[in-house]
Amino acid sequence: MCIRDRHGPGEVTFVEDVWAGGGNLGPSIEYFIGGLEVGNMVFMKYKVGDNGELVDLPIKVIDVGIGLERIPWLMNGGVTSYKYTFGAVSYTHLTLPTICSV
């Protein structure tokens, strides 16, 4: 089964942004299918200096996040990725009401 068959053509949305974390940052692109972020790419170009200035990184990298746990969701078209990632038993357990006594 093709993802395109389940969600139809033209359903992929790309969002350009800037990502920062761990003292590094750079332009990024995130891609969504059916409103779920499937993955992203961050083009790490800068580090944040002591006084907040941007300093070129000596080695530039592309940090890729693919969201492998989301692929079963896309392939099966369910409302959540948990059922297909962790199995029906785990999904059922996670969705049962919890009764707590204090």
Side-chain angles (χ1 to χ4, degrees), residues 23-25 46-57:
N24 297 328
L25 68 108
Y46 308 105
K47 68 177 179 177
V48 180
D50 292 335
N51 61 0
E53 84 279 9
L54 299 181
V55 178
D56 278 340
L57 287 172

Side-chain angles (χ1 to χ4, degrees), residues 35-63:
L36 177 74
E37 182 185 342
V38 179
N40 60 54
M41 292 183 290
V42 181
F43 301 87
M44 294 293 192
K45 295 177 67 171
Y46 308 105
K47 68 177 179 177
V48 180
D50 292 335
N51 61 0
E53 84 279 9
L54 299 181
V55 178
D56 278 340
L57 287 172
I59 299 174
K60 294 168 180 59
V61 298
I62 301 173
D63 180 0

Side-chain angles (χ1 to χ4, degrees), residues 7 11 16-17 19 42 49 60 63-64 69 75-76 79 81-82 86 94 96-97:
H7 296 280
E11 295 278 336
E16 293 182 57
D17 203 353
W19 185 92
V42 181
K60 294 168 180 59
D63 180 0
V64 179
E69 77 283 356
M75 298 302 292
N76 290 286
V79 295
S81 65
Y82 289 102
F86 302 111
L94 290 171
L96 290 175

Side-chain angles (χ1 to χ4, degrees), residues 3-5 7-14 32-34:
I3 292 172
R4 182 176 177 166
D5 293 339
H7 296 280
E11 295 278 336
V12 178
T13 303
F14 295 92
F32 297 83
I33 298 177

